[in-house]
Amino acid sequence: MSREIAIVSDPAAAAAERIATVVRRGGQIALAGGSTPRRAYELLAGMDLDWSRCELWLGDDRCVAPDHEHSNFKMVGEQLVDRLPVCRRPHGWHRIPGELGPERAADAFEAELRAAFPAGVELPVFDLILLGIGPDAHTASLFPGDAALGERKRWAVGVETPGMAPLVPRVTLTLPVLDAARAVVFLVSGADKAEAVARAFGDAPGPDAPASLVAPRQGSLTVLLDEPAAARLAL
Ligand code: 6PG
């Protein structure tokens, strides 16, 4: 695994550039939810890129309807996909059917992944997975101390009780899938994330800081931070 920690003035713009590189090649991309990546998605929407050779996924979503304010699918649609000319949209834009509830939605998500990736593979290999980090050092919907962290076989699991708001059940990719990616990019900004960043990328990895457990086996790990988010990271 190659690991790069970059402190930049505009992490969202840096993340958009990394994603754009993969979009130009075509491939399987999983995006993050939450608020931090919104600007990166806006920038991507304005980059005149052709996404038609890409399949677009979410690393996790909340178990709500696709038009609900907490829906990551809704957010990414509004900030990015719906702003693209129809002919340049991803040839697959996959939604996690959260309204089915965490277990059935996780099953449906995994079935859709298995249908989209080569038959019989042990794990899907994403070309890029974008992740965020919570103040509790969770990533995707992998929360400290949650059983989902120990999953080794399944590609996606339901999370009944998330450790942070919005307190609705979730569905998330599992650690083995994150670690199988060709590139994992963390996009993090703001002083409220400094402690989590120090625990995730400064200390020894551990289940109390799920983001610290992300270690792409053959791929690259890039952490894009602004100064406030990096304030407690001893580099
Ligand atoms: C989600 C995300 C989650 C997010 C972090 C950071 O669905 O909430 O996938 O992992 O990346 O919670 O969220 P913010 O960017 O809003 O701080």
Side-chain angles (χ1 to χ4, degrees), residues 59-61 63 96 101-107 109-110 113 141-142 146-160 169-177:
D60 71 318
D61 210 338
C63 291
I96 300 171
E103 283 320 309
R104 287 179 54 213
D107 291 347
F109 183 28
E110 181 153 342
L113 286 164
S141 280
L142 296 167
D146 192 280
L149 282 176
E151 180 58 50
R152 286 291 163 272
K153 289 256 170 297
R154 299 186 58 189
W155 297 3
V157 291
V159 174
E160 198 57 60
R170 314 288 187 90
V171 173
T172 184
L173 290 177
T174 58
L175 270 175
V177 174

Side-chain angles (χ1 to χ4, degrees), residues 31-38 58-62 70-72 75 130-136 138-143 164-166 170-172 186-189 192-193:
L31 294 180
S35 55
T36 307
R38 286 171 179 262
L58 288 163
D60 71 318
D61 210 338
R62 296 83 178 262
H70 291 324
S71 164
N72 287 335
M75 183 272 286
L130 182 72
L131 294 173
I133 191 172
D136 61 352
H138 83 263
T139 192
S141 280
L142 296 167
F143 293 93
M164 263 194 62
R170 314 288 187 90
V171 173
T172 184
F186 278 94
L187 167 56
V188 191
S189 64
D192 65 325
K193 302 290 176 66

